[in-house]
Amino acid sequence: MKPGLLFVLVLLVAGAVLTAWGIGGAPASDRAHEPAAVDRAARPVSFDTAFVQRGAMLQQRNCAGCHAVNGRAIGPGLLEIARHYRDVPDPAAAITAAILHPAPGLADYPPAPPQAYLSSEDRDALAAWILELSQHPQ
């Protein structure tokens, strides 16, 4: 085997192992068991236009494979998600937390993987976009 190919394989395996151990992914302050995540989740999410547009772009790049805007896919539609969280005290924080640590809550859908690779700002932007979308469905 060529030394260059062996080096690339070692890097790929090392990256997979480090990712599996939790090195990489979300910063430690975003992990649910730490107080910083609780404090951040309690803050309101800004709904300025650029922030909502960022959420729309993130949805296309990260969520569209499993979530349609309206209707069933592998996961629930985003309008259904917005309806599910609309009556909680802070729906943006609840959606943000569900993106980081999805829990079964909507019937007949498989469990979703945690989206820990997204920054807290990205998760907030997605939540803002989902809530904004529910106010102005297309």
Side-chain angles (χ1 to χ4, degrees), residues 1 28-30 32 44 62 68 76 85 97 133-134:
M1 184 179 290
S29 65
D30 285 348
N62 298 288
Y85 288 103
L133 178 71
S134 70

Side-chain angles (χ1 to χ4, degrees), residues 1-122:
M1 184 179 290
K2 294 182 179 181
L5 181 60
L6 181 62
F7 179 72
V8 170
L9 289 173
V10 168
L11 284 178
L12 288 172
V13 169
V17 169
L18 291 174
T19 300
W21 282 342
I23 299 172
S29 65
D30 285 348
R31 296 192 181 130
H33 64 276
E34 295 185 13
V38 174
D39 293 341
R40 189 194 58 73
R43 287 182 288 165
V45 174
S46 170
F47 284 88
D48 67 52
T49 304
F51 198 65
V52 171
Q53 288 175 346
R54 179 178 171 189
M57 182 270 308
L58 288 164
Q59 187 276 335
Q60 286 297 311
R61 292 179 63 201
N62 298 288
C63 311
C66 295
H67 297 277
V69 170
N70 191 11
R72 185 180 180 96
I74 294 171
L78 298 171
L79 291 174
E80 183 179 356
I81 291 170
R83 281 191 299 273
H84 179 75
Y85 288 103
R86 74 175 165 220
D87 295 329
V88 300
D90 187 350
I95 292 171
T96 299
I99 292 168
L100 181 59
H101 297 288
L106 297 170
D108 301 326
Y109 292 103
Q115 305 301 309
Y117 62 90
L118 293 170
S119 70
S120 60
E121 292 81 17
D122 286 348

